[in-house]
Amino acid sequence: MAAEKNRQVLIVELPQGKLSKDHFKLVDGAVPEAKDGDVLVKTHYISLDAANRAWMQGATYRDAIESGQVMAGGAIAEVLSSKSDAYKPGDLVFADTGWQEFAALPAKQCTKLPALEPMTHLLSVYGVAGLTAYFGLFEIGAPKEGETVVVSAAAGSVGSIVGQLAKIRGCRVVGIAGGREKCDWLVKELGFDAAIDYKNEPVHKALKEACPKGIDVYFDNVGGDILEACLFRMNLFGRIACCGAVSQYDGEAPAHGPRGIPGLIVTKRIKMQGFIVMDFNDKRDRALEDLQRWVGEGKIKVQEDIIEGLENTPQALIGLLAGENRGKRMVKVA
């Protein structure tokens, strides 16, 4: 190993309110060694997601993050050395490397990636973002041609793909995003039928205008007041795919939950289901085939937001939580 140090971003204090750069520290650690069954990898691109912030609040589908640890996060990484028959040097993997340049991980915790170009697509449209959009929309939302699909955080990594997938299915698509620039981009560039700027117009009223026939499928990335607004516009037997609740991740807990639960769910017979992308691993190959075909045909436009430098990862996450990005945000490490 030529490298003598391993730059790492530690989370030195768990936030009680808003996340800030003071909660992190950049340090030089030792380059780890692979043990039997492990691989030593070099991190290329770190995935940034709102879920990174949710992990700081306690155990979810993964263990809680604790202060003093390398900040957790998935990444595309290259195998440098392997003590497992499953991988050889040069292989690309997706793994929870954490925010660091090098990591030694059990081979069984890595997912082998194809050698596709650009590599960044393996984190965006062919990675967690694209697969989350695909499975959440098609497996849970199950939209039919002619139905109305609404998606929140529509300019983000998942939402921007959800909307395009719904258009492929022949639906009327309405996005909810923050700021006129993002809303214009959704309609003019990605082909959404309408977009609602939640920062500058009442969502309840705007939904009535944008969804005159009601909402059949709502893909929820934010929770809170926007979920409440959509609940009141749902049609009978509507479906809600619960992907995230970014409005509740960073800062104080909300004073109240969305009204209409469970009343509207009962009276409108709404199906409301949470999910994570790993629930559908058995259908992954089919999903990737579809996504690759639609990208190749120009039916999906891929938007990526790449930040340079491991040292900028904390600020990049803070910015994502504030809605700075369009499309998939990631950090280029090497």
Side-chain angles (χ1 to χ4, degrees):
M1 170 57 60
E4 297 180 354
K5 62 182 181 180
N6 181 20
R7 290 197 308 154
Q8 303 172 309
V9 176
L10 307 184
I11 182 155
V12 293
E13 181 184 1
L14 292 174
Q16 300 302 312
K18 287 280 188 181
L19 188 66
S20 76
K21 289 195 294 184
D22 293 338
H23 294 113
F24 300 95
K25 183 180 181 181
L26 182 68
V27 301
D28 289 334
V31 176
E33 294 185 7
K35 301 176 183 177
D36 287 343
D38 288 357
V39 290
L40 175 64
V41 300
K42 179 178 178 64
T43 306
H44 285 288
Y45 291 93
I46 294 173
S47 176
L48 290 181
D49 305 279
N52 294 150
R53 179 65 178 87
W55 299 340
M56 301 175 193
Q57 296 176 342
T60 55
Y61 52 85
R62 57 159 296 139
D63 292 340
I65 295 173
E66 297 181 4
S67 59
Q69 293 180 334
V70 174
M71 177 58 194
I76 296 173
E78 179 183 351
V79 175
L80 297 180
S81 64
S82 175
K83 293 189 177 180
S84 164
D85 293 336
Y87 296 100
K88 65 183 186 300
D91 284 344
L92 284 181
V93 299
F94 179 80
D96 189 354
T97 61
W99 292 5
Q100 57 184 340
E101 290 185 309
F102 302 96
L105 306 164
K108 63 184 180 181
Q109 295 180 9
C110 301
T111 300
K112 192 169 185 179
L113 297 175
L116 292 177
E117 292 295 337
M119 185 189 297
T120 53
H121 280 20
L122 295 170
L123 275 189
S124 59
V125 67
Y126 306 139
V128 171
L131 292 171
T132 297
Y134 183 99
F135 292 130
L137 182 65
F138 293 144
E139 296 293 330
I140 296 174
K144 303 176 184 66
E145 185 176 356
E147 290 190 324
T148 295
V149 175
V150 174
V151 55
S152 54
S157 61
V158 174
S160 60
I161 297 175
V162 168
Q164 295 180 83
L165 294 177
K167 289 302 296 180
I168 290 171
R169 187 54 57 91
C171 299
R172 174 175 175 78
V173 178
V174 177
I176 303 174
R180 181 45 49 192
E181 183 180 349
K182 285 184 177 180
C183 290
D184 288 345
W185 174 67
L186 292 173
V187 174
K188 296 176 182 178
E189 297 294 327
L190 300 191
F192 284 51
D193 295 284
I196 296 169
D197 178 5
Y198 74 87
K199 291 185 176 180
N200 294 297
E201 57 185 319
V203 176
H204 282 273
K205 180 180 178 181
L207 280 171
K208 290 181 181 180
E209 297 175 359
C211 308
K213 296 182 179 179
I215 301 170
D216 299 294
V217 177
Y218 172 48
F219 195 105
D220 184 29
N221 287 306
V222 301
D225 292 340
I226 290 176
L227 168 58
E228 177 181 304
C230 290
L231 270 171
F232 280 86
R233 293 297 300 163
M234 294 298 295
N235 288 329
L236 291 176
F237 301 103
R239 289 84 68 198
I240 300 177
C242 297
C243 180
V246 68
S247 69
Q248 300 169 24
Y249 292 160
D250 195 33
E252 299 298 326
H256 60 82
R259 292 169 294 182
I261 298 175
L264 289 172
I265 293 174
V266 175
T267 58
K268 294 188 175 189
R269 282 84 91 196
I270 295 168
K271 182 179 83 170
M272 187 174 186
Q273 182 178 337
F275 74 100
I276 56 175
V277 69
M278 288 84 82
D279 297 339
F280 303 100
N281 276 342
D282 59 325
K283 300 178 180 180
R284 181 187 180 93
D285 290 343
R286 186 198 71 195
L288 287 173
E289 287 178 8
D290 285 343
L291 291 167
Q292 288 175 9
R293 182 175 74 257
W294 292 328
V295 169
E297 294 171 351
K299 293 180 179 178
I300 297 177
K301 295 180 180 179
V302 183
Q303 180 77 17
E304 297 174 338
D305 180 18
I306 302 171
I307 307 297
E308 298 271 350
L310 178 68
E311 66 279 6
N312 294 318
T313 311
Q315 185 57 49
L317 176 58
I318 293 165
L320 179 144
L321 294 170
E324 285 181 358
N325 62 300
R326 287 195 323 198
K328 176 62 181 175
R329 175 164 280 195
M330 62 189 81
V331 171
K332 183 177 181 182
V333 178

